[in-house]
């Protein structure tokens, strides 16, 4: 039988509080049922909707933030059916979670929100916006939905979010390093897609990386309101929302960007700027790569010969292989909560008070880490665009 207990009473026993709702509600999107926004301070997110696909490895990673044992007191809050499902699931892991926080949604219990929760939009919010229904955190002025991808135009034609435009990352990157194109070329691309600095751009992709890469480039250019569909195309499909096919609808080109471009050049670091950070005690070069890449066992790419790492870099985690970012993802491909990411980075002395430059091989994984940090409210952050590819070509960097 579930046992109700107040938050203050439960905390006297130094237990673990778990929020069983989805990550959007946990992060701060309004909970219409309870009239609240955010989560109980210090609560961890273990959504009931994750349980069917959460692997043992994912649970181990989740629990590593604060190890749990059979003796750990665990209290849940959320909807009764979700609490029951999570309790039963934890019981299979040998854990005990019979308590329920009775005042989790009362005005006496202060809630916390992800500082940039509105930057990570849930599928239900986007569907309501497209349907012209009332939504919170509504864009001011013109908005557009864009699917980002590399060589995915045919896939887009087969099915996409209704009304979405398609932007190929090949329009924004230039060989041989796959760095962002020059400002004038970037201005022309954005104009062709009808994007001005005051256009709200809502991005999604088939995997998290393409949307994150384009989001970072748009912010660098000076687009003021850039949002990402949390969970991407998968979240849209799982929600059962409408799907359109065929080419994107015609876009009216923007006559001008409306601001100098790039308006935020500090978000995209060059090789000399990256090298300069290595000599500062208040800065971190953060490698968002697999451990095999970071440790020098592999370059991670068939077109990058050199193995190794930037001297003095800190490991910001990533996943398996050159496209792996599972360290940043919940089982449903939404972004992990701020507490988890913060703890993951603090283990390598990566903190919000530093000047942070994320990098990977060519910028995609680093962009996802940047989007996470931005949503967490970190401000002095950027991406070293050239990454290990550029660095490894300059032998005097070693």
């Amino acid at each position: 039988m579930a046992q109700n207990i107040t938050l203050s009473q439960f905390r006297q026993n130094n237990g673990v509080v778990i929020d069983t709702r989805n990550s959007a509600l946990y992060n701060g999107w309004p909970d219409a049922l309870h009239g609240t926004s955010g989560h109980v301070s210090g609560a961890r997110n273990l959504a009931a909707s994750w349980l069917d696909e959460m692997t043992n490895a994912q649970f181990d990673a989740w629990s590593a933030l604060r190890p749990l044992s059979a003796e750990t007191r665990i209290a849940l809050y959320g909807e009764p059916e979700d609490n029951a499902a999570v309790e039963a699931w934890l019981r299979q892991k040998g854990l005990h979670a019979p308590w329920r926080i009775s005042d989790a949604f009362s005005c006496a219990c202060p809630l916390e929100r992800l500082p940039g929760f509105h930057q990570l939009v849930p599928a239900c919010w986007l569907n309501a916006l497209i349907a012209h229904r009332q939504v919170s955190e509504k864009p001011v002025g013109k908005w557009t939905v864009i699917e980002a991808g590399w060589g995915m135009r045919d896939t887009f034609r087969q099915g996409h979010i209704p009304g979405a435009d398609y932007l190929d990352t090949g329009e924004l990157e230039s060989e041989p390093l796959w760095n962002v194109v020059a400002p004038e070329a970037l201005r022309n691309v954005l104009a062709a897609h009808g994007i001005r600095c005051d256009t709200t751009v809502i991005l999604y992709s088939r995997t998290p990386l393409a949307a994150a890469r384009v989001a970072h480039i748009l912010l660098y250019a000076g687009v003021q309101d850039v949002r990402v569909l949390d969970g991407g195309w998968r979240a849209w499909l799982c929600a059962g929302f409408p799907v359109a096919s065929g080419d994107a609808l015609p876009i009216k080109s923007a006559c001008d960007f409306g601001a100098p471009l790039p308006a935020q050049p500090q978000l995209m670091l060059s090789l000399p700027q990256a090298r300069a950070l290595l000599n500062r005690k208040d800065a971190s070069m953060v490698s968002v790569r697999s451990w095999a890449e970071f440790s020098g066992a592999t370059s991670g790419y068939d077109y990058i010969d050199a193995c190794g790492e930037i001297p003095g870099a800190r490991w910001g985690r990533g996943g398996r292989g050159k496209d792996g970012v599972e360290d940043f993802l919940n089982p449903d491909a939404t972004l992990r909560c701020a507490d988890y990411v913060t703890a993951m980075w603090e283990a390598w002395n990566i903190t919000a008070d530093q000047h942070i430059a994320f990098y990977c091989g060519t910028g995609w994984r680093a962009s996802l880490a940047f989007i996470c940090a931005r949503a967490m409210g970190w401000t002095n952050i950027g991406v070293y665009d050239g990454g290990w590819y550029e660095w490894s070509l300059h032998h005097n960097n070693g």
Side-chain angles (χ1 to χ4, degrees):
M1 291 287 293
Q3 305 172 40
N4 289 331
I5 190 171
T6 67
L7 181 63
S8 61
Q9 288 172 336
F10 185 74
R11 282 184 168 160
Q12 292 174 12
N13 295 283
N14 194 32
V16 174
V17 178
I18 295 177
D19 186 327
T20 65
R21 302 171 302 160
N22 65 52
S23 59
L25 297 178
Y26 176 90
N27 284 341
W29 286 95
D31 186 333
L33 185 62
H34 299 285
T36 57
S37 176
H39 60 270
V40 168
S41 177
R44 299 165 63 179
N45 191 201
L46 180 61
S49 58
W50 302 344
L51 301 181
D52 288 342
E53 50 190 333
M54 194 171 198
T55 65
N56 288 334
Q58 288 172 326
F59 177 74
D60 291 343
W62 176 88
S63 61
L65 176 64
R66 187 173 178 182
L68 305 175
S69 70
E71 289 71 41
T72 305
R73 290 170 58 90
I74 302 173
L76 311 177
Y77 72 90
E79 299 313 304
E81 61 273 20
D82 290 343
N83 293 336
V86 170
E87 180 183 5
W89 195 85
L90 289 174
R91 192 182 305 121
Q92 296 175 1
K93 302 288 184 182
L95 302 172
H96 192 44
W99 291 278
R100 304 290 182 266
I101 301 300
S102 59
D103 57 349
F105 301 110
S106 73
C107 59
C109 185
L111 301 179
E112 294 181 349
R113 299 192 303 184
L114 185 69
F117 76 89
H118 65 284
Q119 299 163 9
L120 307 174
V121 306
C124 58
W125 179 90
L126 180 55
N127 183 59
L129 180 70
I130 291 172
H132 304 290
R133 298 199 297 270
Q134 188 64 35
V135 295
S136 60
E137 304 296 329
K138 183 178 181 180
V140 176
K142 180 186 173 183
W143 55 270
T144 184
V145 179
I146 293 179
E147 177 174 329
W150 182 53
M152 300 290 286
R153 193 176 296 276
D154 287 343
T155 303
F156 174 87
R157 292 189 181 105
Q158 294 171 14
H160 56 264
I161 294 177
D165 186 15
Y166 175 77
L167 198 163
D168 198 286
T169 57
E171 301 177 60
L172 300 174
E173 297 177 321
S174 59
E175 296 187 66
L177 297 176
W178 305 106
N179 284 358
V180 65
V181 296
E184 193 55 37
L186 179 56
R187 184 189 304 274
N188 292 337
V189 172
L190 299 185
H193 288 273
I195 300 172
R196 288 174 40 89
C197 67
D198 55 359
T199 305
T200 294
V201 180
I202 304 159
L203 292 157
Y204 75 96
S205 52
R206 308 284 160 157
T207 66
L209 292 178
R213 174 63 165 163
V214 174
H216 173 248
I217 291 174
L218 295 187
L219 289 164
Y220 155 78
V223 180
Q224 298 159 8
D225 187 2
V226 178
R227 312 191 193 191
V228 174
L229 173 59
D230 203 10
W233 175 243
R234 172 182 170 179
W236 186 267
L237 287 182
C238 288
F241 293 138
V243 172
S245 60
D247 288 314
L249 298 176
I251 299 293
K252 182 179 179 181
S253 297
C255 58
D256 65 87
F257 185 64
L261 191 155
Q264 297 198 73
Q266 76 281 4
L267 301 185
M268 193 79 72
L269 279 74
S270 65
L271 174 59
Q273 291 171 323
R275 189 184 295 118
L277 287 190
L278 292 173
N279 300 319
R280 289 173 44 183
K281 295 182 179 180
D282 63 341
S284 284
M285 288 291 294
V286 178
S287 173
V288 185
R289 308 171 73 200
S290 68
W291 178 253
E293 291 170 279
F294 185 79
S295 63
T298 177
S299 75
Y301 298 79
D302 56 10
Y303 54 85
I304 300 178
D305 294 329
C307 300
E309 199 56 87
I310 295 177
R314 293 167 179 165
W315 191 38
R317 304 288 290 268
R320 296 182 298 275
K322 69 180 182 64
D323 297 321
V325 286
E326 54 267 27
D327 289 340
F328 293 91
L329 302 179
N330 293 317
D332 62 355
T334 56
L335 293 180
R336 275 184 163 155
C337 71
D339 284 350
Y340 180 92
V341 177
T342 298
M344 185 172 73
W345 285 342
E346 283 181 346
W348 281 79
N349 192 28
I350 302 163
T351 56
D353 59 344
Q354 300 170 348
H355 185 166
I356 303 293
F358 299 106
Y359 73 94
C360 54
T362 60
W364 286 47
R365 288 173 289 177
S367 294
L368 184 71
F370 173 90
I371 293 302
C372 283
R374 173 177 176 252
M376 288 159 50
W378 292 28
T379 54
N380 200 7
I381 55 176
V383 169
Y384 166 37
D385 197 21
W388 175 244
Y389 192 11
E390 180 180 48
W391 188 277
S392 66
L393 295 175
H394 294 261
H395 300 294
N396 61 333
N397 287 326

